[in-house]
Amino acid sequence: MALRPLLLAADHAGFELKERLKSLLETRGIPFADLGTSSAESVDYPDYARKVAGAVSRGEAEKGVLVCGSGQGMAMAANRYPRVRAAVPCSEETARLSREHNDSNILALGGRTLDPALAERMLAVWLETPFAGGRHVRRLEKMDEALAGPSQ
């Protein structure tokens, strides 16, 4: 089964930034699917986090981008799904490290808290940065073990 393209979704507070990020992706020729919302009318962020995080968790998509007011709500909702590692960066450096060290597969951004130009740069860095592997793999494995419950 072929993976779906990069998935994007936002709530009402992230709608404007999501639209701007779509333009960046189009300019760079990066295929994506917009899973909503389609306006600034109030909606509930967990509904949109579910669409992206569910697909990533099931292996139907490799990566996703979620946008809400702060990025925090989307990340909290997304990180409830197995195999999802949603990051809320505050700089290009933290976006890079979230991929390089943590293999983040969802980028959560704040439409009300980030300068749009910075959000674009963070997305670009995040997309361009590969996972370093090595010592970081065992750390990810430990996070996966935590999902299985308390160790004996």
Side-chain angles (χ1 to χ4, degrees):
M1 165 180 31
L3 291 178
R4 292 171 70 180
L6 179 73
L7 301 179
L8 278 83
D11 70 358
H12 56 283
F15 173 72
E16 188 176 318
L17 180 57
K18 175 181 66 91
E19 294 301 304
R20 182 167 172 158
L21 296 176
K22 285 170 44 177
S23 295
L24 171 82
L25 296 171
E26 288 167 352
T27 299
R28 290 178 170 237
I30 298 171
F32 66 89
D34 182 349
L35 303 184
T37 193
S38 57
S39 75
E41 183 176 329
S42 183
V43 294
D44 296 331
Y45 66 85
D47 297 334
Y48 293 90
R50 178 182 304 119
K51 292 179 180 190
V52 172
V56 170
S57 179
R58 292 187 299 272
E60 297 169 4
E62 185 179 346
K63 294 179 184 168
V65 176
L66 293 168
V67 190
C68 64
S70 67
Q72 297 295 339
M74 285 290 203
M76 287 181 198
N79 280 325
R80 292 179 178 266
Y81 290 79
R83 293 169 298 285
V84 167
R85 292 173 303 281
V88 186
C90 59
S91 66
E92 293 167 71
E93 179 69 0
T94 56
R96 181 184 67 77
L97 289 170
S98 80
R99 285 284 310 127
E100 189 175 283
H101 291 191
N102 311 115
D103 198 19
S104 63
N105 49 19
I106 293 181
L107 185 68
L109 300 171
R112 292 180 177 161
T113 59
L114 289 174
D115 173 78
L118 174 59
E120 287 178 334
R121 292 192 310 272
M122 288 192 300
L123 174 58
V125 166
W126 186 78
L127 289 170
E128 294 164 2
T129 303
F131 176 50
R135 70 184 187 277
H136 305 293
V137 172
R138 84 170 176 271
R139 295 168 183 160
L140 295 180
E141 289 170 347
K142 287 180 178 187
M143 287 195 296
D144 289 341
E145 289 170 12
L147 287 174
S151 60
Q152 302 299 327

